[in-house]
Amino acid sequence: MRELVFALEYEPGRNRVADALAGHPGTRVRSLSLHATDDHLWRVDHATGTPEALAAVEDAFTDGDYYADCLATEDCGATQTTRVLDRTDDTLVLYTDWEPTPVCASVPHIARDHLGDGVLFETRHEGRHYTWRLIHSGEGDVGAFFDALRDAVGDAARTELLRTANASAGGGTRADADGVGLSPEQEAALRAAVEHGYYESPRAVDAGELADHLDVPRSTLTYRLRRAEERLAKAHVARSVAGDAAPAPFE
């Protein structure tokens, strides 16, 4: 089994959910369940945030031009139903049932075409970054999958590979060669942050200045640093527990 983790970073105005999350920093949406067949997709998502942020997320999910992850650049005429399963002041659980048309495309359907049946999907949406974690047999063509994904996404979003690794028999993943599993982009951001004094106290540069140095949007830089810091912290804790073989959680 193989693990594949990547992110789509949406441009403003190209994804209603991304726009809603970008307007409410700290709000997150993660999938609780996601299943796809050739002609259907069902998912349950859990959102956390302020009441105002959750209202914006609900509006984005239920708006007619969202269509449950459809990557088509124009109105595809798909049929979608979204229902609220649970709501509190700071959480929202949404169920979505999507029936695509022949012109539609989505990450799960592209994955089925190139990675085979039995792919497991897990997602997290934060700001304009939509992170996908796929567990697949390893027998498909990952290169063809990414080519098809980039063609479907077009200029609506940037695609960034975060990690690819073998899945262990225990359900976790073996870390990449660096022992932590940072993507090249995460490692570059972390290295630049250290070299330019971002972690000094007081800081020698702020996030905006560091982003300018790397020629990436500030939101992209902070996203990469948070993911890198998360993996480093979890790797440190895992190593400190003798004999601990706990799987690395989705990031």
Side-chain angles (χ1 to χ4, degrees):
M1 300 297 288
R2 295 284 297 175
E3 178 193 39
L4 178 63
V5 183
F6 63 92
L8 302 176
E9 182 185 359
Y10 278 97
E11 297 293 331
R14 306 305 294 269
N15 180 283
R16 286 289 308 276
V17 175
D19 290 341
L21 293 172
H24 297 85
T27 306
R28 297 176 181 176
V29 180
R30 62 183 177 89
S31 60
L32 299 180
S33 181
L34 199 166
H35 304 278
T37 64
D38 287 339
D39 57 2
H40 230 78
L41 184 148
W42 303 266
R43 61 182 301 156
V44 177
D45 290 280
H46 180 275
T48 58
T50 65
E52 294 78 13
L54 295 181
V57 169
E58 181 180 351
D59 287 345
F61 266 86
T62 56
D63 188 278
D65 67 5
Y66 177 58
Y67 293 128
D69 295 321
C70 184
L71 300 175
T73 57
E74 298 180 358
D75 187 351
C76 59
T79 300
Q80 172 177 315
T81 301
T82 298
R83 300 183 180 90
V84 175
L85 298 183
D86 191 26
R87 180 192 283 114
T88 66
D89 287 344
D90 58 0
T91 63
L92 180 68
V93 180
L94 295 165
Y95 166 80
T96 299
D97 178 6
W98 178 54
E99 186 175 352
T101 65
V103 300
C104 292
S106 73
V107 169
H109 290 100
I110 295 173
R112 284 173 55 86
D113 289 341
H114 296 282
L115 303 180
D117 293 330
V119 182
L120 301 179
F121 304 97
E122 192 174 14
T123 68
R124 183 164 68 184
H125 212 157
E126 179 181 356
R128 300 198 181 282
H129 296 269
Y130 194 8
T131 306
W132 286 79
R133 179 181 185 236
L134 277 59
I135 301 295
H136 61 101
S137 67
E139 298 178 357
D141 190 334
V142 174
F145 165 75
F146 269 106
D147 288 343
L149 178 63
R150 292 190 178 101
D151 287 343
V153 170
D155 61 0
R158 295 193 302 170
T159 306
E160 178 179 345
L161 177 63
L162 300 179
R163 186 170 74 254
T164 179
N166 289 321
S168 70
T173 58
R174 293 197 296 270
D176 298 335
D178 60 9
V180 176
L182 301 183
S183 72
E185 294 82 2
Q186 291 169 349
E187 185 173 355
L190 196 63
R191 185 180 299 275
V194 171
E195 291 176 349
H196 290 271
Y198 178 77
Y199 290 112
E200 298 295 329
S201 183
R203 285 176 172 167
V205 295
D206 61 23
E209 293 169 329
L210 188 60
D212 289 342
H213 172 75
L214 293 172
D215 194 27
V216 298
R218 179 187 177 118
S219 63
T220 298
L221 172 68
T222 56
Y223 173 82
R224 291 174 180 174
L225 288 177
R226 285 200 305 272
R227 298 287 77 80
E229 292 161 2
E230 178 183 350
R231 289 199 62 78
L232 288 169
K234 289 176 179 176
H236 173 75
V237 172
R239 285 194 297 265
S240 70
V241 180
D244 182 11
F250 171 57
E251 61 208 84

